[in-house]
Amino acid sequence: MWNAVIKNGTKWSEESRLTGIDFSFRQNDIGKIIFFIVLILNFTACGVRKSIKHVPDVQQYSLEIPKVNTINDSTFSFNQNYLTKNKQQLWELYVKGNPLQLGYNNGALTQPLMQKQEDIFFSKVEGFVPSKFKQNLLRGFLKWYNRKMYLNIKEEDQVELYGLSQYSSNKFDFIAPKFLRSMYLHGAHDIGHAMQDLAMVGCTSLAVWNENTEDGDLLIGRNFDFYVGDDFAKNKLVEFVEPESGIPYLSVSWPGMIGVVSGMNKEGITVTINAGKSKIPLTAKTPISLVTREILQYAKNIDEAIAIAKKRKVFVSESILVGSANDKNAVIIEVSPDNFGVYRVENSGKVFCTNHFQSEAYKDDKRNQKHIIESHSEYRYEKLQELLQENKKLNPEKMALILRDKSGLKDKKIGYGNEKAINQLLAHHAVIFSPQKKLVWVSSNPYQLGEFVCYDLNEIFSDKRLKSGEFAKSELNIAKDPFVDSQEFKNYEEYKRLSSQFEEDKIISEELIDHYKSLNPDLWLVYYQAGKYYFNQKDYQKAKIEFEKALTKEITTVPDKENVEKYLKKTLKKLK
């Protein structure tokens, strides 16, 4: 997860709000930051130098350098490793071997895609931090902050990352050597959480079984609400990994990623991750996506998953929803740098996970309690409860309806893209798991609105796949959401494009402002943006109207509402 963040600004651009990324600095903080980093680097220069020079020992692993066979413009192979693009535009990758061979096979097959993702990501960074001075500052900070990361990543994962990194682009070597850069990118999501203190959009997941499903089997759904622009989300990757040691598994992410954000193994263990409220740690440790990768590769039941999570040192707070076919149950493992809890439901066949902790271990955690009050996490939790009351006996199709739901509580219209909705219209992907049947459904673009493609892990990790040449079990696919063909969806996409204009210092016509508001009339943000524009133009009467209108809508968080109220108060003072 490459959601890298350095956030010292007091306000976010609309692009930043939509992506969850902000690289802005307050100018008067620059001197303090330089002093802080120079001071730290003086004390830790040896540790930084050691980490920069570190490479894993790969000599113990056999390796055949891949020679990729191009079958057509969207299908490539090497021995029994394959990369192909299906008709829903999902890339499907199958790799097998020892850790070094896995990395090389992955890198060789996905190289153009992986390098494109790097380009997209680092161009975002450059866009947010155009100053070469600040870029150098950011590089120095990352080297210092990540100085101990390699000490907390298993050797086999380092070896795989090393193999993968050999196919990275040379153009970003000025940031860090390829291997270190690959490690940094796997920890960037965690760094983003830490530095940004989780001012972010939130993922939603749920597990149901027994009386809550059509057949009584365990069924799990999740939205991975992660947005780094439309280009980044184009190349979704469904990865089938058959490691030399451990359990074969499926993972849904993007090229260049060996960690897991959503996945299931052949034993029917599933993992999905949701961010929690975190304090800022002083150094990077184990990236959460590598902890969940280890669970998928080595756990056969919930107890084994808990044991793996407990022994790893993480540096942010995260909820890991773990489902298990062997246990026919699901729990939430709640990890943070200095606490650990497991949330189990008693006498119930359902568990919900948004972005706050629920276990006894965190009942007195002040950050968590504040997050419940101020964020949109509790609102989405209540919406899940409401949707489950309306949708009895879930099956995969009904689970897809829940993941695609765009309304507020009691079906209130809260505007498209509102973070209080289960479907925030920015998900990188959605996934549905049926662990006992070993079936997985993966959404296709846009967001989770496209067709859900079904995969049968029993068939994929067997000779059946080689005979058929197909990965998907297409007859079980779930149809696309009709909303994707609606005028409302077209309006939402235009609203997103126009939002950036309100952060630019230029004159906007009344016609454009009215059109902008009409594109997403139930969303508080359009009126807030219009109000800020009028305020900056010193048209305080119009600003007052827009801020008051924004306050009649469902505003995402308590801080957001307080910010609108602050602007209204300033406006009313100007009108006196």
Side-chain angles (χ1 to χ4, degrees):
M1 291 178 288
W2 298 355
N3 188 13
V5 181
I6 298 294
K7 182 177 187 293
N8 288 85
T10 54
K11 68 175 184 176
W12 288 42
S13 67
E14 173 61 12
E15 172 93 275
S16 302
R17 192 199 69 80
L18 287 169
T19 61
I21 295 176
D22 192 337
F23 289 95
S24 59
F25 288 86
R26 281 198 299 248
Q27 290 300 318
N28 60 358
D29 283 348
I30 291 293
K32 294 177 185 176
I33 295 168
I34 295 170
F35 175 77
F36 176 68
I37 290 176
V38 168
L39 188 67
I40 288 170
L41 291 178
N42 281 337
F43 280 114
T44 61
C46 181
V48 171
R49 279 198 300 271
K50 192 172 181 180
S51 70
I52 290 171
K53 292 179 180 179
H54 173 76
V55 290
D57 178 13
V58 300
Q59 300 302 316
Q60 60 183 301
Y61 297 98
S62 61
L63 173 66
E64 181 182 355
I65 301 295
K67 294 180 181 177
V68 175
N69 174 36
T70 301
I71 298 169
N72 56 49
D73 62 355
S74 60
T75 306
F76 311 89
S77 69
F78 164 67
N79 291 344
Q80 291 183 19
N81 300 265
Y82 303 93
L83 175 70
T84 188
K85 194 176 194 179
N86 66 24
K87 66 179 182 180
Q88 292 84 9
Q89 305 302 298
L90 295 173
W91 285 99
E92 299 165 337
L93 174 71
Y94 190 100
V95 289
K96 60 187 300 184
N98 65 49
L100 186 62
Q101 193 71 59
L102 278 179
Y104 268 85
N105 293 350
N106 188 335
L109 288 166
T110 67
Q111 185 174 33
L113 300 174
M114 184 171 69
Q115 292 191 1
K116 185 175 182 180
Q117 295 301 101
E118 273 194 293
D119 277 338
I120 293 166
F121 177 76
F122 286 117
S123 68
K124 281 280 183 186
V125 176
E126 195 168 17
F128 285 120
V129 191
S131 161
K132 295 296 181 186
F133 169 73
K134 291 180 186 177
Q135 288 175 16
N136 288 333
L137 195 64
L138 181 59
R139 281 199 298 275
F141 170 80
L142 288 174
K143 288 174 183 176
W144 168 75
Y145 194 83
N146 289 316
R147 70 195 183 279
K148 293 183 179 178
M149 185 183 285
Y150 75 99
L151 299 173
N152 290 279
I153 294 179
K154 289 191 310 163
E155 182 186 324
E156 64 185 79
D157 289 345
Q158 290 192 41
V159 168
E160 187 174 341
L161 283 170
Y162 176 85
L164 180 72
S165 70
Q166 301 312 297
Y167 296 89
S168 296
S169 172
N170 294 321
K171 66 194 288 189
F172 301 113
D173 287 352
F174 69 96
I175 294 173
K178 289 183 176 65
F179 166 67
L180 282 186
R181 208 163 68 235
S182 190
M183 268 207 314
Y184 289 178
L185 290 172
H186 278 74
H189 160 76
D190 307 65
I191 295 169
H193 286 191
M195 298 307 297
Q196 196 180 338
D197 200 21
L198 300 179
M200 58 175 290
V201 295
C203 303
T204 303
S205 55
L206 69 155
V208 288
W209 61 97
N210 290 348
E211 73 278 7
N212 294 302
T213 59
E214 196 172 71
D215 57 8
D217 281 359
L218 180 62
L219 189 67
I220 297 165
R222 81 95 94 252
N223 283 338
F224 184 56
D225 291 315
F226 170 79
Y227 185 81
V228 193
D230 292 338
D231 287 340
F232 188 88
K234 280 178 183 174
N235 291 317
K236 290 180 176 58
L237 185 67
V238 184
E239 195 171 347
F240 307 96
V241 182
E242 191 171 344
E244 187 176 69
S245 104
I247 306 162
Y249 64 88
L250 170 151
S251 171
V252 186
S253 57
W254 47 87
M257 178 72 164
I258 72 162
V260 176
V261 297
S262 307
M264 182 168 85
N265 70 18
K266 197 180 175 183
E267 289 286 332
I269 287 288
T270 72
V271 293
T272 61
I273 58 175
N274 290 25
K277 192 69 173 174
S278 185
K279 66 180 182 181
I280 298 175
L282 291 176
T283 183
K285 293 180 183 176
T286 311
I288 194 69
S289 67
L290 293 179
V291 176
T292 46
R293 152 74 184 264
E294 185 177 358
I295 290 172
L296 277 196
Q297 191 172 343
Y298 292 105
K300 295 179 181 178
N301 56 50
I302 287 171
D303 286 344
E304 290 179 0
I306 292 170
I308 289 169
K310 204 165 191 175
K311 70 182 180 182
R312 296 298 167 208
K313 294 179 180 178
V314 298
F315 59 109
V316 292
S317 300
E318 203 91 18
S319 295
I320 307 170
L321 177 64
V322 176
S324 168
N326 292 328
D327 297 290
K328 196 188 170 183
N329 208 331
V331 303
I332 302 172
I333 301 173
E334 298 175 341
V335 299
S336 62
D338 50 14
N339 204 352
F340 185 93
V342 178
Y343 178 66
R344 301 176 187 265
V345 293
E346 301 293 339
N347 305 314
S348 174
K350 61 179 184 283
V351 62
F352 303 146
C353 185
T354 51
N355 296 103
H356 61 272
F357 292 143
Q358 303 173 65
S359 69
E360 278 292 306
Y362 291 89
K363 69 176 182 179
D364 298 322
D365 188 295
K366 291 181 180 178
R367 284 178 178 270
N368 188 50
Q369 293 302 319
K370 184 181 179 185
H371 192 54
I372 291 171
I373 294 167
E374 294 190 348
S375 76
H376 41 75
S377 181
E378 179 69 18
Y379 189 98
R380 281 181 287 113
Y381 192 93
E382 292 174 9
K383 181 63 181 177
L384 283 177
Q385 292 176 316
E386 186 178 279
L387 287 168
L388 215 62
Q389 285 295 317
E390 296 169 2
N391 298 274
K392 306 287 186 182
K393 305 285 185 183
L394 294 189
N395 58 27
E397 288 77 15
K398 288 181 181 178
M399 181 66 82
L401 287 175
I402 287 176
L403 297 178
R404 289 167 168 171
D405 190 277
K406 299 170 286 296
S407 65
L409 290 171
K410 298 180 180 177
D411 290 326
K412 180 179 178 181
K413 291 185 176 181
I414 59 176
Y416 296 124
N418 193 316
E419 292 156 29
K420 283 188 168 179
I422 302 300
N423 178 6
Q424 302 171 11
L425 289 173
L426 49 66
H428 181 273
H429 63 259
V431 184
I432 298 168
F433 301 109
S434 181
Q436 286 149 282
K437 297 181 180 69
K438 309 301 189 295
L439 297 176
V440 182
W441 287 262
V442 180
S443 69
S444 57
N445 282 331
Y447 317 118
Q448 67 277 67
L449 302 176
E451 187 175 5
F452 274 82
V453 181
C454 183
Y455 299 98
D456 184 336
L457 296 199
N458 281 331
E459 289 189 4
I460 287 170
F461 295 114
S462 73
D463 290 340
K464 285 186 179 180
R465 175 190 56 81
L466 292 174
K467 289 173 183 175
S468 70
E470 294 286 327
F471 286 102
K473 201 174 184 70
S474 300
E475 66 272 19
L476 295 181
N477 286 4
I478 298 171
K480 69 178 181 179
D481 189 334
F483 176 72
V484 79
D485 295 319
S486 69
Q487 185 59 49
E488 287 88 350
F489 179 68
K490 294 182 179 68
N491 290 347
Y492 172 74
E493 293 290 275
E494 187 180 357
Y495 145 76
K496 274 176 57 182
R497 288 191 295 271
L498 288 179
S499 290
S500 60
Q501 295 195 25
F502 284 83
E503 292 299 328
E504 297 170 7
D505 187 17
K506 65 179 185 181
I507 301 299
I508 303 173
S509 69
E510 290 289 333
E511 291 77 17
L512 184 60
I513 292 172
D514 288 341
H515 178 61
Y516 175 68
K517 291 187 293 183
S518 73
L519 293 171
N520 204 353
D522 297 309
L523 185 67
W524 70 276
L525 193 63
V526 296
Y527 306 102
Y528 173 64
Q529 292 283 59
K532 278 201 306 178
Y533 172 77
Y534 287 129
F535 184 89
N536 292 333
Q537 294 298 314
K538 297 182 171 51
D539 192 339
Y540 300 118
Q541 190 58 49
K542 287 182 180 177
K544 172 180 174 291
I545 293 169
E546 300 299 344
F547 291 135
E548 288 176 340
K549 182 74 170 177
L551 288 169
T552 68
K553 302 298 179 181
E554 192 67 61
I555 296 180
T556 307
T557 65
V558 170
D560 282 334
K561 186 175 183 180
E562 289 174 347
N563 196 39
V564 178
E565 290 171 340
K566 182 186 75 176
Y567 262 104
L568 178 59
K569 189 176 180 181
K570 286 163 62 177
T571 302
L572 292 173
K573 280 185 179 179
K574 296 288 186 180
L575 286 171
K576 285 183 179 177

